[in-house]
Amino acid sequence: SRDEVGQLTQAFNSMSGAIRQKLTELQAGNARLHAIADFTYGWENWFAPDGKLLWVNPSVERLTGYTPAECQGMADFPFSVIATEDVARAHTEFQQATRGGTGSNFEFRVRRKDGSAFWAAASWQPIYGTRGEFLGHRSSIWDISERKHFELALQDKVTALEKSEETQKRLVRTTREE
């Protein structure tokens, strides 16, 4: 009807439809965001300003063997999965990130759930809210074991060549002296 109650009902129905449409759009956007974040190749994290893990994507399980829920349950994550000899350096870098700093290609070793280890590299950047407030930082971590294997093999070859060169120089000196 055209009376006040009818107009009010019409206005509520219109608002309700608009709210349902916005909710549907938000749910679709959220699904797209999760499709991207949950299925990236790298292990992605979001840490609060105090350093507490807020979110980790499922790739963490493929790389470490730990589920996102197990990571959330670790009081000292990510340090609990970082190799002991790299923890101090990781703490230094993590402190910079919790103060809003950025970083890239920080290399360290990660201990998997099964006890094996792999070389990883991390990059991070701060996250800010719509009013500019610091919400923490996100980090991306990926496996660089293959690259590190080649780097170490190359370094071994360079060392062997340097030793060979020194031996050759010594032999040349000896030959000259003779």
Side-chain angles (χ1 to χ4, degrees):
S1 68
R2 295 197 173 266
D3 64 1
E4 289 179 4
V5 173
Q7 290 174 352
L8 190 57
T9 301
Q10 211 172 18
F12 278 128
N13 287 341
S14 177
M15 286 188 328
S16 175
I19 289 171
R20 265 187 258 130
Q21 180 181 353
K22 289 292 181 191
L23 186 57
T24 300
E25 290 171 8
L26 284 171
Q27 289 169 336
N30 192 32
R32 283 190 302 274
L33 175 67
H34 275 283
I36 293 167
D38 290 346
F39 298 104
T40 59
Y41 181 75
W43 152 20
E44 303 289 326
N45 303 286
W46 178 4
F47 292 95
D50 65 0
K52 183 181 184 308
L53 179 66
L54 297 174
W55 174 84
V56 61
N57 76 338
S59 291
V60 72
E61 186 171 6
R62 179 179 47 77
L63 290 170
T64 69
Y66 293 101
T67 65
E70 287 174 311
C71 295
Q72 290 279 353
M74 294 178 196
D76 60 344
F77 185 83
F79 306 107
S80 53
V81 300
I82 295 175
T84 305
E85 54 272 24
D86 295 334
V87 168
R89 288 185 315 110
H91 268 290
T92 300
E93 297 296 327
F94 195 80
Q95 290 304 315
Q96 287 181 333
T98 57
R99 290 190 300 269
T102 60
S104 63
N105 295 316
F106 172 68
E107 296 180 1
F108 59 100
R109 285 157 291 195
V110 174
R111 288 186 327 257
R112 292 184 177 105
K113 191 174 185 177
D114 67 7
S116 65
F118 70 94
W119 276 97
S123 295
W124 58 91
Q125 64 188 40
I127 299 173
Y128 294 99
T130 56
R131 294 182 306 269
E133 70 277 16
F134 180 58
L135 300 176
H137 70 277
R138 67 171 289 278
S139 64
S140 299
I141 301 170
W142 56 99
D143 185 339
I144 61 165
S145 297
E146 187 174 348
R147 186 187 87 202
K148 286 302 275 189
H149 170 74
F150 287 121
E151 284 176 5
L152 294 172
L154 181 60
Q155 184 59 47
D156 288 345
K157 298 291 184 199
V158 167
T159 301
L161 283 172
E162 288 170 343
K163 285 180 182 179
S164 176
E165 181 182 32
E166 286 300 316
T167 301
Q168 287 176 357
K169 286 179 181 178
R170 185 176 38 81
L171 289 172
V172 167
R173 275 194 311 269
T174 303
T175 303
R176 283 189 180 142
E177 289 172 2
E178 290 177 357

